[in-house]
């Protein structure tokens, strides 16, 4: 499980690699979390269920990541962990249980404006899954 | 890619292949070189391929790579055959800038600077984490989406005179909150009056130099007095509107035939195109209102410290927006849908949209520099009407990635360097300072010079920062 940040003039681009789709989606969420709040320690006081549907894997990943921006803005929920995640890669459906805490308890600066479709992909490379996303910051 | 120099500060990429119009770049040799380092020009060529595009795909002097459209791009589309594209407006709908002029002496301000900045920092929430605010009701939010600055003034956040000193009089028409999703509304409720983070900032600046006395007088700007600059946008609400309509347009039209998925669009005439335009107008009004509320609160703080002084809003300009405007194309007057993404409207005296106070001069144009460097106030011209769909640059434009900035620059050190230059800084994080450091942006002096020499907006005053507040 891993993710790395790549060069991009104005925005943040990252790539996640894993042996399953679930791993890659989890890593992508962790990359997003790092840009949202850095490496602060967050407790797992609150649990949420996330259900998303897409038209393709890229759309599914976009919606999955966007959900955390929506939860942060509208419910003041700050993501810490993906506890469970199941992806139906034929129907492009995802269900996850995530944990985190009330954002108002923490000091951080969320720089992420939006997830974008720019240069986005989810694909297999050899026996690995790789995803790439650009965040508008 | 063949780029032909057509004048000292303009270049052209000829129409070829699937392009419907040429690409016209307004830049110096130096700025053009910078654009060649990323895919700015490829993106401008992609925009030139979109249906109904008129005249050219324009690239402003501060342009850099964006998603789909480059940042610093201007494109006008025919209302019959043309399209409207959320990517051509940007995720941060009506990200923009306003400047409040004062007659407070720099010396007087400096004596109270530390205290004032602390008060402002505590008063204006960033809107994230600890800066989270109370939610407003859906009813109030709807009023804001329809009335923009009008709502703010009616509710005690400003003065009547502020209205005409905003692009669109602070209220874009055709805004129907029904076209904004529940998700977007939920994101918008807690964020009214918040600054946000990233490249958004508040700055107190000194008017360092007046370059056009007559116009500066009309704008209310005096040398060695302080001004307040506010840069922010429509926050989560605007981002969600963009995201929602990108998805809806993908579902309706597919992106298989597009050179880039982010260029997704809908015909302006279509139901979806009209709905996006309405939702975008809602986000535009939200952002106008946001800047108004922030300015009002800071004006109150300044008034408390300087009760005898005068304050006047110079102008509020949008730099991520799509609008219907009239232009002469091949001798005929036509209504077009102008997309400005990281570009500022720069109307001259002949435009009917301008308020009475600026009818003789042209509109104020605000060109914010990067943190710690100069900014400019310019004035719009009729020349911009002829050659750039009434537009000019929007700021310095990024040069270095955030990634590289964080890994090579030290936020603490930059803070110190700024302090040595007599610039006080309050920021949410040290990392944020490194990300927005002066050296990661293009040279504002060069951008302002190109705009001035080309005549699409002329220099009026140069501003230098005395204090910076970042979310």
């Amino acid at each position: 499980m891993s993710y790395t940040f790549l060069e991009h003039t104005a925005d943040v681009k990252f790539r996640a690699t894993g042996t399953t789709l679930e791993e890659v989606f989890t890593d992508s969420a962790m990359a997003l979390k790092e840009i949202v709040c850095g490496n602060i320690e967050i407790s797992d006081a609150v649990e949420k269920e996330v259900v998303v549907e897409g038209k393709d894997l890229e759309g599914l990943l976009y919606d999955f990541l966007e959900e955390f921006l929506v939860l942060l803005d509208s419910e003041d929920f700050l993501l810490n962990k993906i506890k469970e995640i199941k992806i139906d890669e034929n129907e492009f459906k995802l269900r996850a249980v995530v944990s985190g805490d009330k954002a108002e308890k923490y000091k951080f600066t969320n720089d992420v404006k939006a997830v974008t479709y720019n240069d986005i992909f989810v694909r297999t490379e050899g026996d690995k899954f790789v995803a790439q996303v650009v965040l508008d910051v | 890619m063949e780029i032909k120099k057509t004048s000292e500060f303009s270049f052209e990429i000829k129409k070829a292949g699937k392009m419907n119009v040429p690409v016209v770049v307004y830049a110096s040799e130096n700025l053009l070189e910078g654009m060649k380092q990323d895919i700015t020009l490829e993106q401008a060529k992609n925009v030139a391929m979109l249906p109904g595009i008129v005249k050219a795909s324009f690239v402003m002097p501060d342009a850099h790579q964006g998603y789909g459209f480059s940042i610093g791009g201007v494109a006008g589309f025919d209302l019959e055959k043309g399209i409207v594209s959320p990517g051509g407006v940007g995720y941060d709908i009506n990200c923009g800038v306003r400047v409040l002029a004062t007659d407070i002496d720099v010396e007087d301000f400096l004596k109270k600077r530390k205290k004032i900045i602390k008060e402002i920092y505590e008063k204006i929430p960033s809107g994230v984490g600890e800066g989270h605010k109370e939610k407003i009701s859906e009813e109030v939010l709807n009023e804001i989406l329809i009335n923009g600055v009008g709502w703010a003034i009616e509710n005690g956040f400003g003065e009547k005179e502020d209205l005409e000193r905003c692009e669109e009089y602070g209220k874009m028409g055709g805004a129907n909150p029904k076209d904004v999703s529940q998700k977007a509304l939920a994101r918008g409720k807690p964020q009214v009056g918040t600054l946000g983070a990233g490249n958004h900032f508040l700055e107190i600046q000194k008017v360092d130099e007046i370059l056009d006395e007559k116009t500066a007088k009309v704008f209310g700007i005096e040398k060695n007095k302080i001004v307040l600059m506010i840069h922010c946008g429509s926050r989560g609400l605007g981002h969600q509107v963009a995201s929602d309509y990108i998805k809806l347009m993908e579902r309706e039209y597919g992106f298989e035939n597009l050179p880039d998925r982010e260029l997704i669009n809908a015909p302006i005439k279509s139901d979806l195109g009209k709905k996006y335009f309405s939702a975008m107008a809602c986000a535009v009004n939200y952002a106008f209102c946001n800047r108004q509320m922030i300015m009002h609160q800071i004006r109150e703080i300044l008034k408390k410290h300087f009760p005898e002084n005068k304050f006047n809003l110079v102008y509020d300009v949008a730099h991520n927006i799509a609008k219907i405007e009239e232009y002469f194309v091949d001798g005929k007057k036509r209504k077009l849908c102008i997309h400005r993404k990281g570009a500022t409207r720069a109307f001259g005296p002949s435009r009917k949209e301008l308020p009475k106070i600026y009818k003789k001069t042209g509109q104020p144009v605000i060109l914010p520099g990067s943190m710690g460097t100069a900014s400019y106030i310019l004035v719009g011209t009729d020349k911009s009407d002829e050659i750039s769909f009434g537009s000019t640059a929007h700021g310095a434009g990024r040069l270095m990635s955030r990634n590289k900035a964080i890994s090579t620059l030290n936020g603490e050190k930059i803070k110190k360097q700024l302090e040595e230059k007599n610039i006080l800084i309050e920021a949410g994080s040290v990392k944020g300072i490194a990300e927005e450091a002066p050296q990661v942006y293009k040279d504002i002096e060069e951008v302002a010079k190109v705009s001035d020499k080309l005549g699409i907006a002329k220099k009026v005053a140069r501003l230098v920062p005395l204090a910076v507040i970042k979310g």
Side-chain angles (χ1 to χ4, degrees):
Chain A
M1 275 180 67
S2 67
Y3 60 85
T4 49
F5 292 102
L6 310 172
E7 270 311 300
H8 193 288
T9 320
D11 294 321
V12 169
K13 191 179 200 171
F14 67 81
R15 201 173 275 189
T17 314
T19 49
T20 64
L21 262 184
E22 280 82 0
E23 261 182 39
V24 165
F25 273 57
T26 301
D27 281 350
S28 298
M30 292 301 110
L32 173 72
K33 174 189 152 190
E34 185 177 331
I35 299 301
V36 167
C37 62
N39 297 313
I40 58 171
E41 251 180 61
I42 305 160
S43 100
D44 291 304
V46 185
E47 216 171 80
K48 299 245 175 213
E49 188 184 30
V50 173
V51 179
V52 283
E53 266 186 70
K55 250 184 78 175
D56 49 25
L57 281 178
E58 284 80 8
L60 191 65
L61 178 60
Y62 179 106
D63 282 9
F64 176 58
L65 295 178
E66 185 179 80
E67 203 56 32
F68 298 112
L69 301 180
V70 174
L71 285 172
L72 178 59
D73 282 355
S74 56
E75 295 180 30
D76 203 36
F77 171 79
L78 185 59
L79 171 72
N80 184 41
K81 251 195 332 241
I82 309 291
K83 291 181 76 175
E84 288 167 34
I85 177 167
K86 188 77 204 125
I87 299 169
D88 179 340
E89 54 182 297
N90 299 312
E91 298 281 322
F92 307 117
K93 285 180 180 165
L94 179 156
R95 189 192 155 273
V97 178
V98 306
S99 61
D101 203 357
K102 273 276 180 206
E104 64 184 12
K105 294 190 197 160
Y106 301 87
K107 191 168 162 45
F108 64 98
T109 59
N110 173 24
D111 293 344
V112 182
K113 288 179 182 167
V115 184
T116 78
Y117 286 112
N118 182 223
D119 278 345
I120 195 171
F121 65 73
V122 180
R123 65 186 180 212
T124 49
E125 286 179 9
D127 55 355
K128 290 231 157 49
F129 283 93
V130 182
Q132 178 175 288
V133 178
V134 176
L135 301 172
D136 183 16
V137 292
Chain B
M1 191 187 310
E2 200 189 324
I3 305 167
K4 205 179 117 198
K5 189 164 181 168
T6 47
S7 81
E8 195 183 356
F9 296 112
S10 57
F11 301 83
E12 190 179 294
I13 301 168
K14 272 212 171 112
K15 183 181 141 182
K18 288 183 184 164
M19 288 163 73
N20 295 315
V21 291
V23 169
V24 172
V25 184
Y26 293 126
S28 59
E29 297 266 1
N30 205 3
L31 290 169
L32 181 72
E33 265 324 296
M35 293 175 198
K36 287 184 191 164
Q37 303 305 310
D38 58 30
I39 57 165
T40 308
L41 301 174
E42 281 81 0
Q43 290 187 326
K45 274 174 75 175
N46 287 341
V47 171
M49 296 175 196
L50 294 174
I53 184 165
V54 174
K55 246 173 151 173
S57 162
F58 292 102
V59 179
M60 297 297 117
D62 55 338
H64 62 83
Q65 173 182 347
Y67 22 89
F69 290 65
S70 64
I71 314 288
V74 176
F77 296 87
D78 183 86
L79 293 193
E80 288 298 314
K81 294 178 211 147
I83 54 98
V84 62
S85 169
V89 172
Y91 280 97
D92 195 359
I93 297 169
N94 192 6
C95 183
V97 206
R98 64 163 61 191
V99 164
L100 176 78
T102 78
D103 62 351
I104 301 169
D105 282 324
V106 170
E107 308 315 317
D108 294 338
F109 169 73
L110 285 176
K111 281 177 212 153
K112 298 180 180 180
R113 176 169 66 172
K114 229 175 171 169
K115 192 162 187 283
I116 292 173
I117 294 310
K118 198 167 170 269
E119 279 176 42
I120 296 175
Y121 189 73
E122 277 163 12
K123 183 84 188 171
I124 308 297
S126 72
V128 282
E130 288 174 332
H132 200 71
K133 272 200 35 169
E134 291 302 311
K135 289 185 188 188
I136 51 165
S137 71
E138 186 144 340
E139 208 183 345
V140 168
L141 182 60
N142 280 348
E143 279 179 44
I144 291 173
L145 299 185
I146 296 169
N147 277 326
V149 176
W151 178 88
I153 290 169
E154 278 164 27
N155 287 276
F157 296 99
E159 291 154 19
K160 234 175 92 197
E161 297 73 41
D162 296 340
L163 263 186
E164 60 177 353
R165 293 158 181 270
C166 297
E167 192 170 322
E168 296 284 316
Y169 294 79
K171 171 193 172 176
M172 192 161 177
N176 185 350
K178 287 206 173 70
D179 297 320
V180 179
S181 73
Q182 280 304 317
K183 237 182 212 179
L185 295 174
R187 290 181 76 174
K189 271 189 214 163
Q191 294 185 325
V192 174
T194 65
L195 183 63
N199 59 354
H200 294 153
F201 65 81
L202 307 170
E203 246 178 38
I204 304 244
Q205 303 160 334
K206 162 190 167 186
V207 180
D208 184 49
E209 205 180 341
I210 299 281
L211 302 142
D212 172 352
E213 285 284 351
K214 224 170 123 192
T215 308
K217 206 164 178 196
V218 177
F219 291 178
I221 300 165
E222 277 180 72
K223 193 174 168 169
N224 286 327
K225 308 288 181 186
I226 65 156
V227 301
L228 163 73
M229 184 179 279
I230 299 169
H231 177 210
C232 65
S234 51
R235 313 283 284 106
L237 183 135
H239 311 161
Q240 194 63 41
V241 165
S243 183
D244 288 339
Y245 280 89
I246 286 172
K247 261 178 260 174
L248 289 170
M249 289 178 189
E250 282 199 343
R251 220 166 286 163
E252 184 81 18
Y253 299 104
F255 51 85
E256 293 75 16
N257 297 322
L258 291 171
D260 181 334
R261 192 167 177 171
E262 288 279 352
L263 290 172
I264 191 75
N265 58 71
I268 299 169
K269 282 201 316 192
S270 68
D271 199 37
L272 196 50
K274 283 181 194 151
K275 280 193 164 142
Y276 167 69
F277 211 86
S278 153
M280 180 204 68
C282 288
V284 164
N285 292 337
Y286 182 94
F288 277 141
C289 176
N290 215 12
R291 290 194 287 273
Q292 175 70 26
M293 288 174 74
I294 291 172
M295 178 191 80
H296 175 74
Q297 294 177 72
I298 301 176
R299 182 162 56 188
E300 292 299 299
I301 292 173
L302 289 171
K303 269 185 182 168
K304 198 181 75 192
H305 289 280
F306 303 100
E308 304 299 321
N309 287 85
K310 285 188 297 195
F311 302 86
N312 75 280
L313 174 58
V314 177
Y315 214 44
D316 181 310
V317 297
H319 53 225
N320 279 358
I321 200 164
K323 307 223 272 196
I324 310 295
E325 293 168 356
E326 274 185 344
Y327 290 94
F328 276 100
V329 181
D330 300 325
K332 259 198 265 168
K333 210 173 204 182
R334 280 169 73 177
K335 272 190 182 166
L336 301 173
C337 178
I338 305 294
H339 289 61
R340 294 191 183 95
K341 183 183 186 181
T344 316
R345 196 185 75 177
F347 281 174
S350 72
R351 296 294 307 209
K352 64 176 190 295
E353 288 94 336
L354 295 191
K356 214 168 143 198
I357 39 167
Y358 298 137
K359 279 263 191 262
K360 281 196 178 133
T361 52
Q363 72 162 82
V365 172
I366 305 162
L367 219 56
S370 52
M371 186 176 69
T373 64
S375 295
Y376 276 90
I377 305 263
L378 299 90
V379 61
T381 65
D382 288 337
K383 177 93 183 280
S384 76
D385 242 49
E386 291 161 31
I387 71 166
S388 61
F389 284 141
S391 312
T392 189
H394 83 306
R398 272 194 99 86
L399 202 59
M400 188 195 290
S401 74
R402 287 163 209 270
N403 207 7
K404 200 166 165 195
I406 301 167
S407 59
T408 58
L409 303 170
N410 176 326
E412 283 293 352
K413 217 164 141 188
I414 288 155
K415 188 174 172 183
K416 239 191 203 133
Q417 283 166 359
L418 290 175
E419 278 166 5
E420 277 161 18
K421 280 165 59 186
N422 196 19
I423 303 165
L424 189 71
I425 175 159
E426 281 281 356
S429 78
V430 175
K431 180 178 127 263
I433 299 177
E435 280 183 354
E436 297 297 321
Q439 47 271 65
V440 309
Y441 281 90
K442 290 180 186 170
D443 183 4
I444 189 76
E445 302 291 343
E446 182 125 352
V447 173
K449 184 182 89 183
V450 171
S451 175
D452 184 85
K453 295 270 186 207
L454 264 169
I456 50 177
K458 306 286 284 177
K459 288 183 195 173
V460 175
R462 184 175 186 270
L463 315 168
V464 295
L466 298 171
V468 190
I469 292 176
K470 275 184 44 62

